[in-house]
Amino acid sequence: SDTNNHRVRKVSPAGEALLAFNLPQAPPGAEDDDDVEDDDDPPGLGKPVGIALDLAGNIYVADPKGSRALKFDPAGRLLLAIQIEEIREGELRRGKPEGIAVAPSGDCILVSDRKLSAVFKFDRFGNRNLRFGRRGAIKDNKPLPAEIVFHKPGGMALDGEGNLLVADRNNNRIQKFGMPTGRPALVVPAPRAEE
């Protein structure tokens, strides 16, 4: 992800440019005053930070400027935009997603948000089915909090066993969670009624 140029680039192992595309315009009202803009920064363009791929070659991007997660096909055509926001205390709060991970099948999209201090899970259609974490501190040599806490979570990845790794920036650690990847780990057929 080429953040300050508002684009995603694909290069070969030899460094040859294979693909480049800009992020679409951020939706109205997505930007807020905690973003520091360059004087030459065109207004409205999204800024890619986190990036992930599924096995089909689809490209998933976390765009904090647009408060969204985006899915593109392998040629860079937009397929899905997921707004990262929630209502708290009667007020709409737009997120600042920075990390993104996706199951190889594309059935499970995970997004970390530094502003909302949470991780969100979506299905392949962008329907949110899980939110976990709240803002909090983890201190060395102290018991872990009873709840899952983050302080500006950033980069994320799924390991080969489907565990989620989250870089918890201001808590200075990586947290690991067992996460569903959108597919059942085991399918047990229902017993047949005796005839």
Side-chain angles (χ1 to χ4, degrees), residues 24-32 43-46 63 65-68 83-85 92 94 96:
Q25 292 282 330
E31 300 176 51
D32 63 32
L45 288 180
D63 172 20
K65 186 173 180 183
S67 301
R68 60 194 172 174
Q83 285 304 127
I84 309 298
E85 59 192 19
L92 178 67
R94 296 183 188 279
K96 294 291 175 192

Side-chain angles (χ1 to χ4, degrees), residues 50-52 60-62 69-70 98-102 109-112 154-157:
I51 194 163
Y60 299 77
V61 178
L70 303 167
E98 287 193 357
I100 193 160
V102 62
I109 304 165
L110 297 148
V111 180
S112 67
M156 299 191 341

Side-chain angles (χ1 to χ4, degrees), residues 43-134:
L45 288 180
K47 284 191 164 186
V49 177
I51 194 163
L53 299 170
D54 64 21
L55 285 178
N58 295 308
I59 304 160
Y60 299 77
V61 178
D63 172 20
K65 186 173 180 183
S67 301
R68 60 194 172 174
L70 303 167
K71 177 183 176 182
F72 300 90
D73 72 10
R77 290 182 292 263
L78 182 63
L79 299 175
L80 179 67
I82 304 169
Q83 285 304 127
I84 309 298
E85 59 192 19
E86 61 186 9
I87 296 184
R88 269 199 226 162
E89 300 165 3
E91 180 183 329
L92 178 67
R93 298 193 182 184
R94 296 183 188 279
K96 294 291 175 192
E98 287 193 357
I100 193 160
V102 62
S105 65
D107 291 332
C108 172
I109 304 165
L110 297 148
V111 180
S112 67
D113 192 283
R114 70 174 161 88
K115 185 175 177 184
L116 302 173
S117 290
V119 171
F120 298 90
K121 179 178 175 279
F122 301 90
D123 66 17
R124 71 170 49 246
F125 306 107
N127 300 307
R128 185 171 106 179
N129 51 35
L130 180 65
R131 178 210 193 275
F132 67 91
R134 65 172 181 78

